Amino acid sequence: MTRPPQVPICIAVPKRPPAGLPTREQILSFITSSDEPAGKREIARAFALTAQEKIALKALLKDMADEGLIDSAPGRAFHKMGGLPKVTVLRVADVDEGGNVWAVPERWEAETPPPRVRVRERKRGALGVGQRILARTEEVPARSSPGRSEAVRGTASPALGSGWIAHPMKTLQAASEQMIGVLRGEGDRLWLQGVEKKEKREYAVSDAGGAQAGDLVLAEKAGRPPRVTARVVQRLGDPFAPKSFSLIAIHQFGIPDRFAEETLDEAERVARQPLGEGREDLTHLPIVAIDPADARDHDDAIWAAPDDDPANADGWTAVVAIADVSFYVRPGSALDREARARGNSVYFPDRVVPMLPEVLSADVCSLKHGEDRAALACHLTIAKDGTLKAWRFSRAVVRIAANIAYEDAQAAVDRGDEGETLRDLWSCWRALAAARDRREPLDLDLPERRVVLDEKGRLLSVAPRERLDAHRLVEDFMIAANVAAAKALEAKKAPVMYRIHEPPSREKLVALKDYLATYDVAFALGQVVKPATFNRIIERVGDAEFRPQVMEQVLRTQTQAYYGPGNLGHFGLSLGSYAHFTSPIRRYADLMVHRALVSAYALGPGGLAGNEDFERAGEAISALERRAMEAERDTLDRYVAAYLSERVGEVVEARITGVTNFGFFATVEGVGGDGLMPVRDLGGEYFRFDEGARRLVGDASGDVYASGQRLKLRLAEANPVSGALRFELPEGRFAAPREDRGRDPKRVLKRRGRPANIRHQGKRR
């Protein structure tokens, strides 16, 4: 295949700032440490700037505001974005049962989640939910001295790395604090029960707004315990309708699901622009996109063939074509601001909340069969042993030969009638798979749950998702392209948004050692821990009954992957350099990598703006990724609870997934979900909690309930609205008297003249 010559790189040299002009870092440090409001005048005075330098300072401050580094307060003072002004307006979001007041900033334009601020009331009981205050804020270490720990407990913010407390100065006009819940009728009164599992309180409804008992509603809270009331502002519908489950998560996690008119108009406009000049024509290649059968967008497509270069005998040449989103979504545009604020698309069983408007995500940028599409192509040269020998990137035009579902591609290969295109892909993949096996990445075969809906969105089934070679094939081609993208940027010393996965901490390794010891599986500390270390553990476990539990514990031992500009490698994949490049339709991190490649290799318009803060952007999109994962997981729990709600009262096959001093959690085999079996329902004897072994042990009977244990349990409750499950022991086993269920076990046993049946052995958390 003929390869076009590389385009020379043009590097723009920035103008040198005036000698006395402070740097961005110096300005941020001054604003943060200043004891008075820090405006342009105060900054100029602090750095003794000349008249000419003050003009440059004004432009620099405007750039910093545009970049999101600083924000301007009403009095023209500046404060560092991602932090709080020393004086600001807060809204009371909650008053807990202990009377502690928690507030959030009324104005928060940073991409990181807002901090939760502990308010120190001048007079206890003066503030209620929804009230607004002008307050002086104080940042304190997340782990403070014993004398101050209570004041800041729970205020730590992942984005800020510290905690905040607020000292009220003035009470302002009240605002509203919203929550989602279900109305419950009791006589002629209505009560609101929140949808979150941790929400135990019910609130008296002051105004139902036409909603009735059983409705899912959006409501405003006001007041403070014990007189917190709720006013319904919107009826959302039937809480048990499957499509309500994702709607609950969207509201609950504050996921933006509506685009501004400005953004939609811009999307329509850029969607009509031509593909641009100078693109490499790859329309002759039979590139195919292999995706889930219900895929809503198609970021990537692949092609491979034997390499005819004698220098790569028995090797392969491949193309991974990725939607050229950076051509349509330019830095600083309305589309870019919206995509950055969302961070990623969020996928639910019944809908997707896209990062980009549908005209781009599902149409113009989506690689569809028979349509000419703009792509950023990764050209790979793969040796016969699967190692990457070379790579290059080009802007291209592609025409997808076919959109194929994973199951269909696998079936064709299994039948032997896959055709040349799939046959070459599979042959090349076997080489990539061999290289992966030599690398020995972490290999955890944990099944995903798949929710199946009918055409009306009704729940049909919940079952493990089958893992096929077709999935592994696409995954390995994408990993190869991601590695190539990272290394290509490193070669140009260009900024990289790495996908970072650090090795497990010693604390987690110690916990894993203690856990494995309960199964008589040895794990030596002090060794150099690699992904293969964990693979060997799983191999030693073999087909033992507790194999799934060990794999889950190994997974919990791993750190959470995140985005950032510092290369710390990807531990799980056993790779030294790794970036996300293959999904720019649904991940902002990938879009930033595309822009970096466009700039580094002079591939045309749509590159980096030159002022991106990769550190700050990485923190923001990592936090938004975690939000999406929590929303998707909670929604799946609701679907599982809805599926199991028809089996309430049945005895089911279950497996214990976790043990605490107040009971154990179990999951229904083959379906999923996580439900509580309270210790109060295990019997009247003493149950000791052995934290090291993660088990409850009955003193009199010797009954043991341990993590990983399989047993039969009665499904007592399945709540689709909260996603919560609750179990009981089957008939014939001891259970607490019905009149005692739901009561505090210590009070129940005290009334019976016996001490509480909960003992704790080991270190308290």
Side-chain angles (χ1 to χ4, degrees):
M1 186 174 66
T2 304
R3 298 175 180 173
Q6 294 288 340
V7 181
I9 300 173
C10 299
I11 302 176
V13 180
K15 293 182 179 180
R16 188 172 181 176
L21 191 66
T23 64
R24 284 168 165 78
E25 291 73 21
Q26 289 172 325
I27 291 174
L28 289 174
S29 178
F30 174 75
I31 291 172
T32 304
S33 60
S34 177
D35 292 329
E36 60 178 352
K40 182 167 69 72
R41 182 181 303 174
E42 288 74 24
I43 296 171
R45 185 188 305 122
F47 292 95
L49 302 185
T50 65
Q52 187 64 30
E53 289 167 347
K54 289 178 183 177
I55 296 174
L57 174 66
K58 182 178 180 180
L60 177 58
L61 291 173
K62 183 179 184 302
D63 287 344
M64 291 176 69
D66 291 342
E67 294 166 28
L69 295 175
I70 59 175
D71 192 19
S72 176
R76 300 305 301 162
F78 294 98
H79 69 269
K80 182 180 176 181
M81 289 296 285
L84 281 173
K86 295 195 173 184
V87 176
T88 191
V89 176
L90 301 173
R91 189 183 75 252
V92 177
D94 189 28
V95 181
D96 63 29
E97 294 293 351
N100 301 309
V101 178
W102 301 93
V104 294
E106 182 170 69
R107 185 179 181 214
W108 187 258
E109 296 178 358
E111 294 164 348
T112 52
R116 195 168 140 91
V117 185
R118 166 77 181 272
V119 180
R120 285 184 170 172
E121 295 179 286
R122 292 179 178 176
K123 180 182 178 183
R124 189 172 179 83
L127 296 175
V129 175
Q131 287 192 272
R132 297 163 64 241
I133 56 171
L134 182 67
R136 178 173 57 84
T137 63
E138 177 185 359
E139 188 174 11
V140 293
R143 295 179 184 224
S144 190
S145 61
R148 301 185 66 183
S149 62
E150 182 62 30
V152 299
R153 185 176 297 148
T155 64
S157 166
L160 303 173
S162 56
W164 294 83
I165 57 176
H167 306 274
M169 299 168 60
K170 182 181 180 181
T171 302
L172 307 175
Q173 184 177 354
S176 63
E177 180 65 23
Q178 295 186 333
M179 68 175 288
I180 297 177
V182 177
L183 296 181
R184 179 181 67 83
E186 186 177 285
D188 58 352
R189 300 192 65 182
L190 288 174
W191 296 82
L192 180 69
Q193 172 65 57
V195 298
E196 296 190 47
K197 294 178 185 178
K198 63 183 179 181
E199 182 64 76
K200 304 300 182 185
R201 286 181 289 174
E202 287 190 335
Y203 302 92
V205 176
S206 59
D207 180 3
Q212 300 177 356
D215 284 345
L216 178 70
V217 298
L218 180 65
E220 293 178 346
K221 294 190 297 182
R224 63 179 294 140
R227 295 187 180 87
V228 178
T229 60
R231 181 179 70 86
V232 175
V233 296
Q234 184 182 355
R235 180 183 178 276
L236 301 177
D238 179 2
F240 298 102
K243 288 193 174 183
S244 292
F245 302 153
S246 56
L247 186 63
I248 290 171
I250 288 168
H251 283 275
Q252 181 181 341
F253 289 94
I255 296 172
D257 63 336
R258 296 287 187 274
F259 288 101
E261 286 299 323
E262 175 192 14
T263 305
L264 293 173
D265 291 344
E266 183 174 281
E268 292 287 349
R269 185 171 64 255
V270 301
R272 293 192 294 269
Q273 67 183 348
L275 299 183
E277 301 294 330
R279 291 185 178 273
E280 184 176 5
D281 188 354
L282 299 180
T283 55
H284 62 286
L285 295 180
I287 302 176
V288 296
I290 305 176
D291 292 295
D294 57 352
R296 299 170 173 94
D297 48 53
H298 305 276
D299 293 270
D300 55 83
I302 48 180
W303 168 86
D307 196 347
D308 56 8
D309 186 347
N312 188 32
D314 297 322
W316 302 86
T317 181
V319 172
V320 179
I322 307 299
D324 190 1
V325 177
S326 64
F327 179 71
Y328 296 98
V329 182
R330 305 293 174 87
S333 64
L335 279 167
D336 180 53
R337 291 193 299 272
E338 185 69 37
R340 189 180 178 113
R342 295 182 177 218
N344 46 254
S345 298
V346 187
Y347 292 86
F348 300 109
D350 65 297
R351 74 182 81 196
V352 60
V353 180
M355 185 179 78
L356 299 171
E358 191 170 337
V359 66
L360 295 179
S361 62
D363 188 9
V364 173
C365 289
S366 190
L367 304 182
K368 293 183 175 182
H369 167 246
E371 301 284 345
D372 285 359
R373 288 290 185 257
L376 190 56
C378 174
H379 304 258
L380 299 171
T381 302
I382 302 168
K384 66 178 181 180
D385 64 354
T387 56
L388 296 183
K389 295 189 65 175
W391 48 79
R392 69 179 180 90
F393 291 83
S394 69
R395 268 190 157 147
V397 180
V398 297
R399 187 178 301 145
I400 303 305
N403 291 103
I404 312 173
Y406 285 115
E407 295 80 4
D408 293 340
Q410 188 67 57
V413 171
D414 292 343
R415 290 193 306 266
D417 60 358
E418 67 273 24
E420 184 180 9
T421 299
L422 290 183
R423 188 179 307 116
D424 285 344
L425 276 175
W426 248 257
S427 297
C428 181
W429 167 64
R430 291 187 186 98
L432 289 173
R436 179 199 63 210
D437 291 342
R438 291 193 303 273
R439 202 172 69 238
E440 291 193 287
L442 188 62
D443 186 15
L444 297 177
D445 188 18
L446 292 168
E448 294 181 54
R449 286 172 290 168
R450 179 169 178 259
V451 172
V452 180
L453 307 175
D454 66 13
E455 66 280 357
K456 295 184 178 180
R458 292 174 300 198
L459 187 61
L460 292 179
S461 67
V462 179
R465 188 185 296 272
E466 187 178 8
R467 177 87 166 149
L468 305 171
D469 280 349
H471 293 98
R472 297 181 179 92
L473 175 143
V474 173
E475 183 178 285
D476 283 337
F477 272 103
M478 297 306 112
I479 289 173
N482 287 336
V483 170
K487 290 185 176 294
L489 290 172
E490 290 171 351
K492 291 291 185 178
K493 294 182 170 55
V496 186
M497 183 61 78
Y498 289 102
R499 181 62 169 177
I500 303 165
H501 184 225
E502 298 186 58
S505 65
R506 178 171 175 80
E507 291 77 11
K508 288 191 173 185
L509 292 174
V510 170
L512 177 64
K513 174 181 169 63
D514 293 342
Y515 178 81
L516 293 174
T518 65
Y519 294 112
D520 295 323
V521 177
F523 176 62
L525 297 176
Q527 61 180 309
V528 177
V529 176
K530 301 178 180 179
T533 306
F534 300 109
N535 295 341
R536 299 292 91 79
I537 291 172
I538 296 168
E539 287 174 6
R540 292 207 307 273
V541 170
D543 294 327
E545 189 180 53
F546 54 85
R547 178 186 175 93
Q549 290 75 58
V550 171
M551 287 196 294
E552 288 171 2
Q553 188 61 33
V554 168
L555 180 62
R556 293 190 188 102
T557 303
Q558 307 307 309
T559 60
Q560 187 168 36
Y562 62 95
Y563 295 103
N567 187 14
L568 298 176
H570 197 293
F571 176 81
L573 292 175
S574 194
L575 292 168
S577 297
Y578 192 68
H580 274 169
F581 159 77
T582 56
S583 296
I585 289 178
R586 61 185 181 91
R587 292 189 305 227
Y588 194 82
D590 301 54
L591 177 56
M592 294 187 73
V593 170
H594 276 231
R595 288 172 176 168
L597 287 165
V598 168
S599 294
Y601 287 90
L603 299 177
L608 295 174
N611 57 3
E612 287 86 351
D613 184 341
F614 273 50
E615 184 77 39
R616 181 168 169 268
E619 292 176 359
I621 57 182
S622 296
L624 292 170
E625 178 189 45
R626 289 191 292 271
R627 179 182 71 174
M629 290 170 61
E630 290 177 21
E632 291 168 354
R633 184 173 58 245
D634 279 14
T635 301
L636 186 56
D637 284 347
R638 291 186 175 97
Y639 272 102
V640 170
Y643 181 69
L644 290 173
S645 63
E646 297 181 359
R647 299 180 62 184
V648 169
E650 292 183 16
V651 175
V652 297
E653 296 288 340
R655 177 171 52 84
I656 297 177
T657 57
V659 182
T660 71
N661 62 333
F662 55 82
F664 61 79
F665 291 91
T667 185
V668 179
E669 290 281 68
V671 177
D674 216 24
L676 176 66
M677 175 71 213
V679 72
R680 64 174 177 264
D681 290 348
L682 293 178
E685 65 176 311
Y686 299 132
F687 272 86
R688 290 178 294 107
F689 174 43
D690 184 342
E691 185 172 15
R694 304 193 184 193
R695 61 183 185 175
L696 290 166
V697 182
D699 271 3
S701 65
D703 284 350
V704 174
Y705 297 98
S707 183
Q709 180 180 338
R710 285 179 167 82
L711 70 172
K712 293 182 182 294
L713 294 173
R714 184 178 301 282
L715 183 61
E717 180 183 341
N719 187 338
V721 177
S722 67
L725 307 177
R726 185 173 63 82
F727 295 106
E728 295 176 340
L729 293 178
E731 291 179 3
R733 298 289 303 277
F734 184 91
R738 186 165 300 279
E739 65 269 21
D740 289 340
R741 293 181 188 174
R743 301 185 184 182
D744 181 77
K746 294 182 180 180
R747 293 183 180 178
V748 170
L749 292 168
K750 184 177 180 181
R751 175 174 58 79
R752 294 181 183 174
R754 298 202 301 272
N757 68 331
I758 303 174
R759 287 181 177 176
H760 187 284
Q761 174 177 303
K763 181 180 177 182
R764 290 188 179 273
R765 293 187 183 275

